[in-house]
Amino acid sequence: MSQEQLKPITLMGANASGKTEIALALAHRLSGEIISADSKQIYKFLAAGTAKPAGAWAEPPAGRAYLVEGIPYNLVDTLDPRATYDAGSFVKEAKAVLVKIQAGGKTPVMAGGTGMYIQAFWNGIDELPPADAALREKLAAVARSSGKEALHAELAAIDPQAALRIPPGNIQRVIRAIEITRLAGRPVSQIWSGRFFNALPVHDGKFIFLKWQRDLLAQRIKRRTAARFDEWADETRALIAKGYPADCPGLKTLGYPQVLDYLAGRLSKPEAIRLITASSLAYAKRQNTWFGRYKNAMLIELTKFEDYDPAAIADRIIAS
RNA sequence: GCCGCGGUAGCUCAGUGGUAGAGCACUGGUCUGAAAAACCAGGUGUCGUUGGUUCGAUCCCAACCCGCGGCA
Protein backbone atom coordinates (compact mmCIF):
# COMPACT_ATOMS: atom_id res chain seq x y z
CA MET A 1 0.00 0.00 0.00
CA SER A 2 1.53 3.26 -1.12
CA GLN A 3 1.51 6.45 0.92
CA GLU A 4 -0.84 7.98 -1.65
CA GLN A 5 -3.45 5.32 -0.96
CA LEU A 6 -3.32 6.02 2.76
CA LYS A 7 -4.28 9.64 2.28
CA PRO A 8 -7.70 10.46 3.68
CA ILE A 9 -10.83 10.95 1.64
CA THR A 10 -13.16 13.59 3.06
CA LEU A 11 -16.76 13.16 1.96
CA MET A 12 -19.13 16.01 2.78
CA GLY A 13 -22.81 16.56 2.11
CA ALA A 14 -26.18 17.46 3.55
CA ASN A 15 -28.25 15.07 5.60
CA ALA A 16 -29.97 12.30 3.63
CA SER A 17 -27.55 12.70 0.75
CA GLY A 18 -26.28 9.13 1.01
CA LYS A 19 -22.78 9.75 2.36
CA THR A 20 -22.75 6.64 4.49
CA GLU A 21 -23.29 4.22 1.62
CA ILE A 22 -20.64 5.89 -0.49
CA ALA A 23 -18.20 5.96 2.42
CA LEU A 24 -18.75 2.24 2.96
CA ALA A 25 -18.24 1.54 -0.75
CA LEU A 26 -14.97 3.49 -0.57
CA ALA A 27 -13.85 1.64 2.55
CA HIS A 28 -14.58 -1.74 0.97
CA ARG A 29 -12.55 -0.86 -2.11
CA LEU A 30 -9.61 0.74 -0.34
CA SER A 31 -9.45 -1.36 2.79
CA GLY A 32 -10.49 1.69 4.70
CA GLU A 33 -11.97 2.79 7.99
CA ILE A 34 -14.53 5.50 8.43
CA ILE A 35 -14.30 8.56 10.64
CA SER A 36 -17.72 10.07 11.21
CA ALA A 37 -17.83 13.88 11.26
CA ASP A 38 -21.27 14.14 12.76
CA SER A 39 -22.10 16.03 15.92
CA LYS A 40 -25.16 13.92 16.70
CA GLN A 41 -24.38 10.37 15.58
CA ILE A 42 -21.63 10.52 18.19
CA TYR A 43 -24.35 9.94 20.81
CA LYS A 44 -25.45 6.57 22.09
CA PHE A 45 -29.15 5.67 21.87
CA LEU A 46 -29.89 8.21 19.12
CA ALA A 47 -30.18 5.99 16.08
CA ALA A 48 -33.46 6.41 14.21
CA GLY A 49 -33.42 10.15 14.86
CA THR A 50 -29.89 10.70 13.57
CA ALA A 51 -29.92 8.08 10.80
CA LYS A 52 -26.94 6.47 12.46
CA PRO A 53 -25.56 3.66 10.28
CA ALA A 54 -26.75 0.32 11.58
CA GLY A 55 -23.85 -1.55 13.10
CA ALA A 56 -22.73 -3.49 16.12
CA TRP A 57 -20.02 -3.19 18.71
CA ALA A 58 -17.33 -5.83 18.39
CA GLU A 59 -14.70 -6.67 20.97
CA PRO A 60 -11.98 -8.26 18.89
CA PRO A 61 -8.52 -8.83 20.34
CA ALA A 62 -7.35 -5.77 18.43
CA GLY A 63 -9.77 -3.49 20.23
CA ARG A 64 -13.30 -2.34 20.58
CA ALA A 65 -14.95 -1.11 17.38
CA TYR A 66 -18.36 -0.17 16.01
CA LEU A 67 -18.60 -2.21 12.83
CA VAL A 68 -20.84 -1.47 9.88
CA GLU A 69 -20.72 -4.11 7.14
CA GLY A 70 -17.52 -5.24 8.85
CA ILE A 71 -15.94 -1.79 8.48
CA PRO A 72 -14.85 0.08 11.62
CA TYR A 73 -16.96 3.23 11.89
CA ASN A 74 -15.21 5.62 14.28
CA LEU A 75 -16.68 8.37 16.42
CA VAL A 76 -20.26 7.16 16.46
CA ASP A 77 -22.38 5.70 19.27
CA THR A 78 -19.96 6.55 22.05
CA LEU A 79 -21.27 9.51 24.01
CA ASP A 80 -23.98 9.71 26.65
CA PRO A 81 -26.84 11.97 25.50
CA ARG A 82 -26.42 14.03 28.66
CA ALA A 83 -22.84 14.94 27.73
CA THR A 84 -21.82 17.89 25.62
CA TYR A 85 -19.52 17.61 22.64
CA ASP A 86 -17.80 20.28 20.60
CA ALA A 87 -15.55 21.02 17.67
CA GLY A 88 -12.41 21.03 19.81
CA SER A 89 -13.09 17.56 21.13
CA PHE A 90 -13.84 16.34 17.65
CA VAL A 91 -10.56 17.65 16.24
CA LYS A 92 -8.56 15.99 18.98
CA GLU A 93 -10.29 12.64 18.72
CA ALA A 94 -10.48 12.58 14.93
CA LYS A 95 -6.76 13.33 14.62
CA ALA A 96 -5.93 10.44 16.94
CA VAL A 97 -8.19 8.12 14.99
CA LEU A 98 -6.70 9.23 11.68
CA VAL A 99 -3.20 8.44 12.87
CA LYS A 100 -4.32 5.08 14.21
CA ILE A 101 -5.99 4.13 10.92
CA GLN A 102 -2.98 5.07 8.82
CA ALA A 103 -0.64 3.30 11.21
CA GLY A 104 -2.71 0.18 10.61
CA GLY A 105 -2.11 0.54 6.88
CA LYS A 106 -5.67 1.52 6.11
CA THR A 107 -7.25 4.44 4.30
CA PRO A 108 -9.22 6.93 6.43
CA VAL A 109 -12.57 7.97 4.99
CA MET A 110 -14.02 10.96 6.82
CA ALA A 111 -17.73 11.29 6.13
CA GLY A 112 -20.15 13.71 7.64
CA GLY A 113 -22.34 16.73 7.46
CA THR A 114 -21.10 18.81 10.36
CA GLY A 115 -19.26 21.47 8.40
CA MET A 116 -17.84 23.15 11.43
CA TYR A 117 -16.14 19.96 12.59
CA ILE A 118 -14.68 19.26 9.17
CA GLN A 119 -13.41 22.80 8.86
CA ALA A 120 -11.97 22.72 12.37
CA PHE A 121 -10.30 19.42 11.59
CA TRP A 122 -8.50 20.66 8.49
CA ASN A 123 -7.88 24.31 9.37
CA GLY A 124 -7.40 23.79 13.07
CA ILE A 125 -9.02 26.06 15.60
CA ASP A 126 -7.32 28.65 17.74
CA GLU A 127 -6.39 27.91 21.32
CA LEU A 128 -9.43 29.32 23.07
CA PRO A 129 -10.68 28.91 26.61
CA PRO A 130 -13.19 26.06 26.85
CA ALA A 131 -16.84 26.60 27.64
CA ASP A 132 -17.74 27.75 31.12
CA ALA A 133 -21.31 26.68 31.79
CA ALA A 134 -21.74 28.86 34.89
CA LEU A 135 -20.53 31.99 33.11
CA ARG A 136 -22.75 31.25 30.13
CA GLU A 137 -25.77 30.92 32.37
CA LYS A 138 -24.91 34.22 34.07
CA LEU A 139 -24.64 36.02 30.73
CA ALA A 140 -27.82 34.42 29.44
CA ALA A 141 -29.58 35.71 32.55
CA VAL A 142 -28.39 39.22 31.72
CA ALA A 143 -29.90 38.88 28.25
CA ARG A 144 -33.17 37.65 29.71
CA SER A 145 -33.51 40.47 32.21
CA SER A 146 -31.96 43.40 30.32
CA GLY A 147 -32.31 42.27 26.74
CA LYS A 148 -30.05 41.04 23.97
CA GLU A 149 -29.03 44.59 23.09
CA ALA A 150 -27.72 45.13 26.61
CA LEU A 151 -25.56 42.02 26.40
CA HIS A 152 -24.28 43.06 23.00
CA ALA A 153 -23.42 46.49 24.47
CA GLU A 154 -21.44 44.70 27.14
CA LEU A 155 -19.43 42.98 24.41
CA ALA A 156 -18.97 46.27 22.56
CA ALA A 157 -17.51 47.77 25.73
CA ILE A 158 -14.80 45.14 26.07
CA ASP A 159 -14.27 44.28 22.38
CA PRO A 160 -15.75 46.70 19.81
CA GLN A 161 -14.24 44.69 16.93
CA ALA A 162 -15.99 41.50 17.94
CA ALA A 163 -19.24 43.38 18.53
CA LEU A 164 -19.15 44.60 14.93
CA ARG A 165 -18.90 41.05 13.64
CA ILE A 166 -21.65 39.52 15.75
CA PRO A 167 -25.30 40.64 15.43
CA PRO A 168 -27.03 41.43 18.75
CA GLY A 169 -29.71 38.83 18.02
CA ASN A 170 -27.16 36.05 17.97
CA ILE A 171 -26.99 35.70 21.70
CA GLN A 172 -25.08 32.41 21.57
CA ARG A 173 -22.14 33.96 19.79
CA VAL A 174 -22.31 37.16 21.85
CA ILE A 175 -22.06 35.03 25.00
CA ARG A 176 -19.17 33.02 23.58
CA ALA A 177 -17.25 36.17 22.64
CA ILE A 178 -17.68 37.66 26.10
CA GLU A 179 -16.75 34.31 27.65
CA ILE A 180 -13.48 34.10 25.72
CA THR A 181 -12.60 37.72 26.39
CA ARG A 182 -13.18 37.37 30.12
CA LEU A 183 -11.45 34.03 30.54
CA ALA A 184 -8.47 34.91 28.34
CA GLY A 185 -8.14 38.40 29.77
CA ARG A 186 -7.91 40.02 26.35
CA PRO A 187 -10.30 40.83 23.49
CA VAL A 188 -11.40 37.80 21.52
CA SER A 189 -10.93 39.70 18.27
CA GLN A 190 -7.19 39.77 19.05
CA ILE A 191 -7.11 36.03 19.70
CA TRP A 192 -8.85 35.03 16.49
CA SER A 193 -6.06 34.30 14.07
CA GLY A 194 -8.31 33.97 11.05
CA ARG A 195 -7.01 30.51 10.27
CA PHE A 196 -10.38 28.98 10.92
CA PHE A 197 -12.22 31.14 8.44
CA ASN A 198 -10.96 33.40 5.69
CA ALA A 199 -9.28 30.41 4.11
CA LEU A 200 -10.28 27.30 2.23
CA PRO A 201 -9.59 24.14 4.19
CA VAL A 202 -6.04 22.98 3.65
CA HIS A 203 -6.84 19.32 3.26
CA ASP A 204 -4.74 16.30 2.58
CA GLY A 205 -6.02 13.64 0.16
CA LYS A 206 -9.34 13.92 -1.62
CA PHE A 207 -11.97 16.48 -0.68
CA ILE A 208 -15.48 15.76 -1.97
CA PHE A 209 -18.78 17.64 -1.79
CA LEU A 210 -21.85 15.59 -2.62
CA LYS A 211 -24.65 17.92 -3.67
CA TRP A 212 -28.20 16.92 -4.49
CA GLN A 213 -30.60 18.99 -6.49
CA ARG A 214 -32.82 20.53 -3.89
CA ASP A 215 -36.22 19.11 -4.86
CA LEU A 216 -34.78 15.59 -5.05
CA LEU A 217 -33.19 15.93 -1.64
CA ALA A 218 -36.53 17.21 -0.33
CA GLN A 219 -38.18 14.00 -1.54
CA ARG A 220 -35.49 11.84 0.03
CA ILE A 221 -35.83 13.64 3.35
CA LYS A 222 -39.60 13.41 3.30
CA ARG A 223 -39.55 9.71 2.54
CA ARG A 224 -36.90 8.95 5.13
CA THR A 225 -38.61 10.93 7.87
CA ALA A 226 -41.94 9.17 7.33
CA ALA A 227 -40.31 5.76 7.06
CA ARG A 228 -38.47 5.90 10.35
CA PHE A 229 -40.93 7.97 12.38
CA ASP A 230 -42.43 5.15 14.46
CA GLU A 231 -39.02 3.80 15.32
CA TRP A 232 -37.93 7.32 16.18
CA ALA A 233 -40.91 7.74 18.50
CA ASP A 234 -40.12 4.42 20.25
CA GLU A 235 -36.50 5.42 20.63
CA THR A 236 -37.41 8.77 22.15
CA ARG A 237 -39.99 7.26 24.49
CA ALA A 238 -37.37 4.81 25.74
CA LEU A 239 -34.88 7.62 26.40
CA ILE A 240 -37.39 9.59 28.43
CA ALA A 241 -38.28 6.40 30.32
CA LYS A 242 -34.59 5.97 31.13
CA GLY A 243 -34.64 9.40 32.72
CA TYR A 244 -32.95 11.52 30.08
CA PRO A 245 -34.21 15.10 30.32
CA ALA A 246 -35.99 16.43 27.22
CA ASP A 247 -33.50 19.29 26.99
CA CYS A 248 -30.26 17.30 27.38
CA PRO A 249 -27.64 17.90 24.65
CA GLY A 250 -28.40 14.68 22.80
CA LEU A 251 -32.11 15.43 22.60
CA LYS A 252 -31.45 19.01 21.54
CA THR A 253 -31.23 17.60 18.06
CA LEU A 254 -33.24 18.35 14.98
CA GLY A 255 -36.57 16.54 15.08
CA TYR A 256 -36.52 15.25 18.66
CA PRO A 257 -38.52 18.21 20.01
CA GLN A 258 -41.25 17.45 17.48
CA VAL A 259 -41.19 13.76 18.35
CA LEU A 260 -41.52 14.70 22.02
CA ASP A 261 -44.49 16.91 21.14
CA TYR A 262 -46.02 13.99 19.28
CA LEU A 263 -45.50 11.67 22.27
CA ALA A 264 -47.13 14.25 24.52
CA GLY A 265 -50.12 14.52 22.22
CA ARG A 266 -49.37 18.09 21.22
CA LEU A 267 -48.79 17.17 17.57
CA SER A 268 -50.39 14.64 15.27
CA LYS A 269 -48.10 12.22 13.47
CA PRO A 270 -48.50 13.83 10.01
CA GLU A 271 -47.96 17.26 11.53
CA ALA A 272 -44.81 16.13 13.34
CA ILE A 273 -43.47 14.54 10.15
CA ARG A 274 -44.22 17.72 8.21
CA LEU A 275 -42.40 19.93 10.74
CA ILE A 276 -39.39 17.62 10.97
CA THR A 277 -39.12 17.42 7.20
CA ALA A 278 -39.21 21.21 6.97
CA SER A 279 -36.47 21.74 9.52
CA SER A 280 -34.33 18.98 7.96
CA LEU A 281 -34.61 20.77 4.64
CA ALA A 282 -33.68 24.09 6.20
CA TYR A 283 -30.69 22.39 7.75
CA ALA A 284 -29.71 20.84 4.43
CA LYS A 285 -29.77 24.31 2.92
CA ARG A 286 -27.36 25.59 5.57
CA GLN A 287 -25.10 22.61 5.00
CA ASN A 288 -25.03 23.17 1.26
CA THR A 289 -24.27 26.86 1.82
CA TRP A 290 -21.40 25.90 4.08
CA PHE A 291 -19.86 23.30 1.77
CA GLY A 292 -20.54 25.47 -1.26
CA ARG A 293 -17.79 27.78 -0.06
CA TYR A 294 -15.25 25.04 -0.63
CA LYS A 295 -14.23 25.85 -4.17
CA ASN A 296 -11.32 23.47 -3.72
CA ALA A 297 -13.62 20.49 -3.24
CA MET A 298 -14.51 18.05 -5.98
CA LEU A 299 -18.20 18.65 -6.62
CA ILE A 300 -20.39 15.64 -7.27
CA GLU A 301 -23.78 16.90 -8.34
CA LEU A 302 -26.84 14.67 -8.32
CA THR A 303 -29.59 16.00 -10.55
CA LYS A 304 -31.69 12.87 -10.94
CA PHE A 305 -32.34 9.85 -8.74
CA GLU A 306 -30.48 7.55 -11.14
CA ASP A 307 -27.33 9.58 -10.52
CA TYR A 308 -27.16 8.06 -7.07
CA ASP A 309 -25.15 4.88 -7.49
CA PRO A 310 -22.84 4.52 -4.48
CA ALA A 311 -20.55 1.99 -6.14
CA ALA A 312 -20.14 4.08 -9.28
CA ILE A 313 -19.59 7.24 -7.27
CA ALA A 314 -16.98 5.49 -5.14
CA ASP A 315 -15.16 4.34 -8.28
CA ARG A 316 -15.29 7.84 -9.67
CA ILE A 317 -13.81 9.27 -6.47
CA ILE A 318 -11.02 6.73 -6.42
CA ALA A 319 -10.20 7.43 -10.06
CA SER A 320 -10.06 11.19 -9.50
C1' G B 1 -83.77 27.16 -1.05
C1' C B 2 -83.17 30.68 3.19
C1' C B 3 -80.02 32.86 7.13
C1' G B 4 -75.13 33.70 9.09
C1' C B 5 -69.84 33.72 8.65
C1' G B 6 -65.76 33.63 5.49
C1' G B 7 -62.76 34.11 0.43
C1' U B 8 -56.08 39.01 0.90
C1' A B 9 -48.67 35.80 -0.24
C1' G B 10 -47.35 28.68 -0.82
C1' C B 11 -50.11 28.09 4.44
C1' U B 12 -52.63 30.47 8.82
C1' C B 13 -54.47 35.12 9.11
C1' A B 14 -54.27 40.93 10.14
C1' G B 15 -55.61 45.52 7.66
C1' U B 16 -57.04 50.30 5.05
C1' G B 17 -61.69 54.85 0.41
C1' G B 18 -55.27 56.81 -1.93
C1' U B 19 -53.12 49.50 -5.49
C1' A B 20 -51.31 45.98 1.29
C1' G B 21 -48.86 43.58 6.08
C1' A B 22 -47.35 39.64 10.12
C1' G B 23 -45.88 34.64 11.48
C1' C B 24 -44.49 30.20 9.24
C1' A B 25 -42.83 28.37 4.43
C1' C B 26 -39.46 29.86 0.51
C1' U B 27 -34.63 32.21 -1.54
C1' G B 28 -29.68 34.03 -0.57
C1' G B 29 -26.03 34.62 3.19
C1' U B 30 -23.24 34.49 8.16
C1' C B 31 -20.50 31.11 11.24
C1' U B 32 -13.60 29.77 16.00
C1' G B 33 -15.28 24.31 21.90
C1' A B 34 -23.83 24.42 21.77
C1' A B 35 -22.98 23.91 14.80
C1' A B 36 -28.71 18.77 13.55
C1' A B 37 -26.87 25.16 17.27
C1' A B 38 -27.57 30.42 17.00
C1' C B 39 -28.34 34.26 13.60
C1' C B 40 -28.69 38.17 9.21
C1' A B 41 -31.09 39.88 4.70
C1' G B 42 -35.01 39.52 0.95
C1' G B 43 -42.25 40.22 0.31
C1' U B 44 -42.69 36.41 -3.84
C1' G B 45 -49.85 39.30 -4.44
C1' U B 46 -55.53 39.57 -10.57
C1' C B 47 -56.83 41.45 -2.13
C1' G B 48 -62.91 35.19 -5.31
C1' U B 49 -65.58 37.11 -10.21
C1' U B 50 -68.44 40.81 -12.74
C1' G B 51 -70.72 45.30 -12.49
C1' G B 52 -72.11 49.98 -9.64
C1' U B 53 -70.99 54.49 -6.50
C1' U B 54 -66.46 57.59 -6.37
C1' C B 55 -61.36 61.91 -8.84
C1' G B 56 -59.79 57.09 -6.94
C1' A B 57 -62.40 50.57 -4.60
C1' U B 58 -58.79 45.40 -1.86
C1' C B 59 -62.14 48.36 1.46
C1' C B 60 -68.76 50.88 0.32
C1' C B 61 -73.23 48.68 -2.73
C1' A B 62 -75.44 44.65 -5.94
C1' A B 63 -75.35 40.11 -8.36
C1' C B 64 -72.82 35.74 -9.06
C1' C B 65 -69.15 31.72 -7.78
C1' C B 66 -66.72 28.82 -3.90
C1' G B 67 -66.09 27.03 1.38
C1' C B 68 -67.96 26.32 6.45
C1' G B 69 -72.06 26.34 9.95
C1' G B 70 -77.32 26.64 11.03
C1' C B 71 -82.55 26.32 9.41
C1' A B 72 -85.46 23.86 6.00
Side-chain angles (χ1 to χ4, degrees), chain A residues 2-9 102 106-108 204-206:
Chain A
S2 75
Q3 279 307 106
E4 189 60 29
Q5 282 170 298
L6 296 184
K7 285 193 170 180
I9 296 175
Q102 288 177 323
K106 294 186 160 190
T107 305
D204 191 18
K206 299 178 196 289

PDB file of all heavy atoms in Angstrom, chain A residues 2-9 102 106-108 204-206:
ATOM      1  N   SER A   2       0.688   2.068  -1.008  1.00  0.00           N
ATOM      2  CA  SER A   2       1.533   3.259  -1.116  1.00  0.00           C
ATOM      3  C   SER A   2       1.043   4.356  -0.172  1.00  0.00           C
ATOM      4  O   SER A   2      -0.082   4.318   0.318  1.00  0.00           O
ATOM      5  CB  SER A   2       1.520   3.782  -2.544  1.00  0.00           C
ATOM      6  OG  SER A   2       0.284   4.442  -2.784  1.00  0.00           O
ATOM      7  N   GLN A   3       1.887   5.318   0.075  1.00  0.00           N
ATOM      8  CA  GLN A   3       1.506   6.451   0.915  1.00  0.00           C
ATOM      9  C   GLN A   3       0.290   7.172   0.354  1.00  0.00           C
ATOM     10  O   GLN A   3      -0.579   7.597   1.080  1.00  0.00           O
ATOM     11  CB  GLN A   3       2.686   7.451   1.006  1.00  0.00           C
ATOM     12  CG  GLN A   3       3.736   7.042   2.018  1.00  0.00           C
ATOM     13  CD  GLN A   3       3.140   6.776   3.397  1.00  0.00           C
ATOM     14  OE1 GLN A   3       3.023   5.636   3.815  1.00  0.00           O
ATOM     15  NE2 GLN A   3       2.742   7.828   4.083  1.00  0.00           N
ATOM     16  N   GLU A   4       0.270   7.286  -0.983  1.00  0.00           N
ATOM     17  CA  GLU A   4      -0.838   7.982  -1.653  1.00  0.00           C
ATOM     18  C   GLU A   4      -2.176   7.349  -1.301  1.00  0.00           C
ATOM     19  O   GLU A   4      -3.162   8.026  -1.060  1.00  0.00           O
ATOM     20  CB  GLU A   4      -0.602   7.959  -3.170  1.00  0.00           C
ATOM     21  CG  GLU A   4      -1.561   8.816  -3.973  1.00  0.00           C
ATOM     22  CD  GLU A   4      -1.509  10.295  -3.603  1.00  0.00           C
ATOM     23  OE1 GLU A   4      -0.430  10.781  -3.162  1.00  0.00           O
ATOM     24  OE2 GLU A   4      -2.541  10.957  -3.740  1.00  0.00           O
ATOM     25  N   GLN A   5      -2.190   6.007  -1.229  1.00  0.00           N
ATOM     26  CA  GLN A   5      -3.446   5.316  -0.957  1.00  0.00           C
ATOM     27  C   GLN A   5      -3.878   5.440   0.493  1.00  0.00           C
ATOM     28  O   GLN A   5      -5.014   5.153   0.820  1.00  0.00           O
ATOM     29  CB  GLN A   5      -3.311   3.837  -1.336  1.00  0.00           C
ATOM     30  CG  GLN A   5      -3.418   3.639  -2.836  1.00  0.00           C
ATOM     31  CD  GLN A   5      -3.048   2.227  -3.219  1.00  0.00           C
ATOM     32  OE1 GLN A   5      -1.916   1.802  -3.002  1.00  0.00           O
ATOM     33  NE2 GLN A   5      -3.999   1.506  -3.776  1.00  0.00           N
ATOM     34  N   LEU A   6      -2.953   5.859   1.354  1.00  0.00           N
ATOM     35  CA  LEU A   6      -3.322   6.019   2.759  1.00  0.00           C
ATOM     36  C   LEU A   6      -3.822   7.425   3.065  1.00  0.00           C
ATOM     37  O   LEU A   6      -4.212   7.712   4.186  1.00  0.00           O
ATOM     38  CB  LEU A   6      -2.119   5.702   3.656  1.00  0.00           C
ATOM     39  CG  LEU A   6      -1.622   4.255   3.576  1.00  0.00           C
ATOM     40  CD1 LEU A   6      -0.490   4.041   4.574  1.00  0.00           C
ATOM     41  CD2 LEU A   6      -2.753   3.285   3.852  1.00  0.00           C
ATOM     42  N   LYS A   7      -3.792   8.283   2.047  1.00  0.00           N
ATOM     43  CA  LYS A   7      -4.276   9.645   2.276  1.00  0.00           C
ATOM     44  C   LYS A   7      -5.783   9.633   2.472  1.00  0.00           C
ATOM     45  O   LYS A   7      -6.490   8.868   1.834  1.00  0.00           O
ATOM     46  CB  LYS A   7      -3.903  10.536   1.083  1.00  0.00           C
ATOM     47  CG  LYS A   7      -2.426  10.893   1.088  1.00  0.00           C
ATOM     48  CD  LYS A   7      -2.137  12.015   0.120  1.00  0.00           C
ATOM     49  CE  LYS A   7      -0.712  12.516   0.327  1.00  0.00           C
ATOM     50  NZ  LYS A   7      -0.391  13.603  -0.596  1.00  0.00           N
ATOM     51  N   PRO A   8      -6.265  10.492   3.357  1.00  0.00           N
ATOM     52  CA  PRO A   8      -7.696  10.462   3.681  1.00  0.00           C
ATOM     53  C   PRO A   8      -8.580  10.951   2.536  1.00  0.00           C
ATOM     54  O   PRO A   8      -8.169  11.760   1.720  1.00  0.00           O
ATOM     55  CB  PRO A   8      -7.807  11.399   4.878  1.00  0.00           C
ATOM     56  CG  PRO A   8      -6.605  12.258   4.827  1.00  0.00           C
ATOM     57  CD  PRO A   8      -5.526  11.453   4.167  1.00  0.00           C
ATOM     58  N   ILE A   9      -9.793  10.432   2.522  1.00  0.00           N
ATOM     59  CA  ILE A   9     -10.834  10.946   1.643  1.00  0.00           C
ATOM     60  C   ILE A   9     -11.857  11.612   2.544  1.00  0.00           C
ATOM     61  O   ILE A   9     -12.327  11.002   3.510  1.00  0.00           O
ATOM     62  CB  ILE A   9     -11.500   9.814   0.843  1.00  0.00           C
ATOM     63  CG1 ILE A   9     -10.481   9.173  -0.090  1.00  0.00           C
ATOM     64  CG2 ILE A   9     -12.695  10.346   0.055  1.00  0.00           C
ATOM     65  CD1 ILE A   9     -11.009   7.954  -0.839  1.00  0.00           C
ATOM     66  N   GLN A 102      -4.104   5.102   9.767  1.00  0.00           N
ATOM     67  CA  GLN A 102      -2.983   5.070   8.819  1.00  0.00           C
ATOM     68  C   GLN A 102      -1.871   4.160   9.319  1.00  0.00           C
ATOM     69  O   GLN A 102      -1.234   3.452   8.532  1.00  0.00           O
ATOM     70  CB  GLN A 102      -2.469   6.489   8.570  1.00  0.00           C
ATOM     71  CG  GLN A 102      -3.451   7.308   7.733  1.00  0.00           C
ATOM     72  CD  GLN A 102      -3.013   8.743   7.519  1.00  0.00           C
ATOM     73  OE1 GLN A 102      -2.444   9.366   8.416  1.00  0.00           O
ATOM     74  NE2 GLN A 102      -3.290   9.284   6.341  1.00  0.00           N
ATOM     75  N   LYS A 106      -4.350   1.390   6.739  1.00  0.00           N
ATOM     76  CA  LYS A 106      -5.669   1.521   6.107  1.00  0.00           C
ATOM     77  C   LYS A 106      -5.932   2.962   5.682  1.00  0.00           C
ATOM     78  O   LYS A 106      -5.272   3.897   6.138  1.00  0.00           O
ATOM     79  CB  LYS A 106      -6.751   1.049   7.072  1.00  0.00           C
ATOM     80  CG  LYS A 106      -6.667  -0.442   7.361  1.00  0.00           C
ATOM     81  CD  LYS A 106      -7.839  -0.855   8.205  1.00  0.00           C
ATOM     82  CE  LYS A 106      -8.087  -2.352   8.111  1.00  0.00           C
ATOM     83  NZ  LYS A 106      -9.373  -2.680   8.746  1.00  0.00           N
ATOM     84  N   THR A 107      -6.914   3.113   4.814  1.00  0.00           N
ATOM     85  CA  THR A 107      -7.250   4.443   4.297  1.00  0.00           C
ATOM     86  C   THR A 107      -8.374   5.077   5.120  1.00  0.00           C
ATOM     87  O   THR A 107      -9.444   4.480   5.254  1.00  0.00           O
ATOM     88  CB  THR A 107      -7.711   4.344   2.835  1.00  0.00           C
ATOM     89  OG1 THR A 107      -6.707   3.673   2.076  1.00  0.00           O
ATOM     90  CG2 THR A 107      -7.970   5.727   2.252  1.00  0.00           C
ATOM     91  N   PRO A 108      -8.152   6.262   5.677  1.00  0.00           N
ATOM     92  CA  PRO A 108      -9.222   6.927   6.430  1.00  0.00           C
ATOM     93  C   PRO A 108     -10.236   7.569   5.484  1.00  0.00           C
ATOM     94  O   PRO A 108      -9.857   8.251   4.542  1.00  0.00           O
ATOM     95  CB  PRO A 108      -8.483   8.017   7.217  1.00  0.00           C
ATOM     96  CG  PRO A 108      -7.019   7.816   6.950  1.00  0.00           C
ATOM     97  CD  PRO A 108      -6.896   7.031   5.679  1.00  0.00           C
ATOM     98  N   ASP A 204      -5.647  17.288   3.149  1.00  0.00           N
ATOM     99  CA  ASP A 204      -4.741  16.305   2.578  1.00  0.00           C
ATOM    100  C   ASP A 204      -5.647  15.297   1.866  1.00  0.00           C
ATOM    101  O   ASP A 204      -6.800  15.127   2.258  1.00  0.00           O
ATOM    102  CB  ASP A 204      -3.974  15.631   3.736  1.00  0.00           C
ATOM    103  CG  ASP A 204      -2.822  14.791   3.210  1.00  0.00           C
ATOM    104  OD1 ASP A 204      -2.409  14.997   2.060  1.00  0.00           O
ATOM    105  OD2 ASP A 204      -2.342  13.924   3.968  1.00  0.00           O
ATOM    106  N   GLY A 205      -5.194  14.659   0.817  1.00  0.00           N
ATOM    107  CA  GLY A 205      -6.017  13.643   0.159  1.00  0.00           C
ATOM    108  C   GLY A 205      -7.113  14.231  -0.702  1.00  0.00           C
ATOM    109  O   GLY A 205      -6.965  15.291  -1.265  1.00  0.00           O
ATOM    110  N   LYS A 206      -8.227  13.501  -0.768  1.00  0.00           N
ATOM    111  CA  LYS A 206      -9.343  13.919  -1.620  1.00  0.00           C
ATOM    112  C   LYS A 206     -10.410  14.602  -0.784  1.00  0.00           C
ATOM    113  O   LYS A 206     -10.684  14.203   0.346  1.00  0.00           O
ATOM    114  CB  LYS A 206      -9.936  12.705  -2.338  1.00  0.00           C
ATOM    115  CG  LYS A 206      -8.953  11.991  -3.259  1.00  0.00           C
ATOM    116  CD  LYS A 206      -9.607  10.775  -3.903  1.00  0.00           C
ATOM    117  CE  LYS A 206      -8.610   9.806  -4.516  1.00  0.00           C
ATOM    118  NZ  LYS A 206      -7.973  10.314  -5.731  1.00  0.00           N
TER     119      LYS A 206
END
